[in-house]
């Protein structure tokens, strides 16, 4: 065994891997991969749509609450009686 540098050993192992006989692949592998990819994309699109719809519903609910409660308006004081007969 000669003292080869790491690059030569790596090159030899890659050459051996390339010279080996390849494993046969199933004939429907491409079709299955395409179906799986389409399914993943559909799930992502559905999740994104649900997220946007949830955000829209939250903004709408907040807007309706803000219009009815009007939190920016100072509430009238209930602790002092109204001034009458001055």
């Amino acid at each position: 065994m000669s003292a080869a540098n790491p690059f030569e050993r790596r090159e030899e192992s890659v050459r051996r891997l390339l010279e080996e006989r390849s494993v046969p692949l199933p004939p429907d592998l491409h079709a299955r991969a395409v179906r799986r990819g389409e399914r993943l994309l559909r799930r992502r699109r559905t999740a994104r749509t649900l997220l946007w719809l949830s955000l829209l519903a939250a903004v709408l609910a907040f807007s309706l609450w803000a219009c009815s409660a009007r939190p920016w308006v100072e509430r009238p004081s209930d602790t002092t009686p109204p001034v009458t007969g001055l």
Side-chain angles (χ1 to χ4, degrees), residues 12 21 47 67 74:
E12 287 177 29
R21 188 170 181 199
C67 286
E74 187 176 333

Side-chain angles (χ1 to χ4, degrees), residues 66-67 69-74:
C67 286
R70 297 172 44 169
W72 56 87
V73 176
E74 187 176 333

